[in-house]
Amino acid sequence: MTVPAELKYSKDHEWVSVVSPKEVRIGITDFAQRQLGDVVFVEQPKKGDRFDSSRSFATVESVKAVSEIYMPVDGTIVAVNELLADEPELINTDPYGDGWIVQVAPSRMKDLDQLLSAAQYEKLLGSEED
């Protein structure tokens, strides 16, 4: 299972990557996509939508289940990954690359400090596997 060191993580299995001083990209982790199985549809928010942290902002449908995806920080959607409309399986094949879900302008970039480091996330995964 892959846990890139440069990313931040939520306890709900979302990852966050800083793409500019004012924007982050968000997706679900390798662990999350493995739990879901083959992704067949992604319902995404609209550009300009605003979400508080811990609120559902997207839905990922797999052959096994439908799962809510939660916003790790307060912010406004500045872009959605339009590739997922035709290729939702990118979440399975490239969860940290082309499988990203949204790009967000966080209300406060310092809120990223509240997220888990890769080491903390790996520890969380270890406790969930017990």
Side-chain angles (χ1 to χ4, degrees):
M1 197 163 349
T2 310
V3 180
E6 69 277 9
L7 302 178
K8 293 286 200 170
Y9 299 88
S10 76
K11 292 178 180 169
D12 294 316
H13 307 289
E14 289 85 21
W15 58 262
V16 179
S17 169
V18 176
V19 294
S20 80
K22 295 185 185 225
E23 293 183 6
V24 298
R25 193 168 272 179
I26 299 169
I28 64 170
T29 64
D30 189 29
F31 173 83
Q33 70 82 18
R34 288 172 189 243
Q35 296 296 308
L36 282 170
D38 294 336
V39 174
V40 295
F41 180 73
V42 181
E43 181 180 289
Q44 297 174 294
K46 293 179 182 65
K47 190 175 172 182
D49 286 353
R50 191 186 174 318
F51 294 90
D52 292 333
S53 68
S54 302
R55 293 298 227 200
S56 171
F57 72 90
T59 307
V60 175
E61 186 175 330
S62 72
V63 293
K64 289 184 187 178
V66 176
S67 295
E68 301 286 326
I69 309 301
Y70 299 97
M71 186 61 66
V73 293
D74 294 352
T76 303
I77 307 296
V78 294
V80 297
N81 185 351
E82 296 181 11
L83 293 175
L84 296 179
D86 294 325
E87 299 177 79
E89 67 276 6
L90 286 170
I91 287 180
N92 296 120
T93 60
D94 194 9
Y96 299 112
D98 287 339
W100 63 276
I101 299 172
V102 294
Q103 200 154 304
V104 173
S107 300
R108 294 170 303 280
M109 287 296 278
K110 68 179 180 180
D111 287 353
L112 297 179
D113 296 340
Q114 305 302 313
L115 298 173
L116 303 174
S117 67
Q120 291 168 319
Y121 183 66
E122 285 176 328
K123 188 181 247 186
L124 174 76
L125 291 179
S127 68
E128 287 193 1
E129 290 173 355
D130 292 342

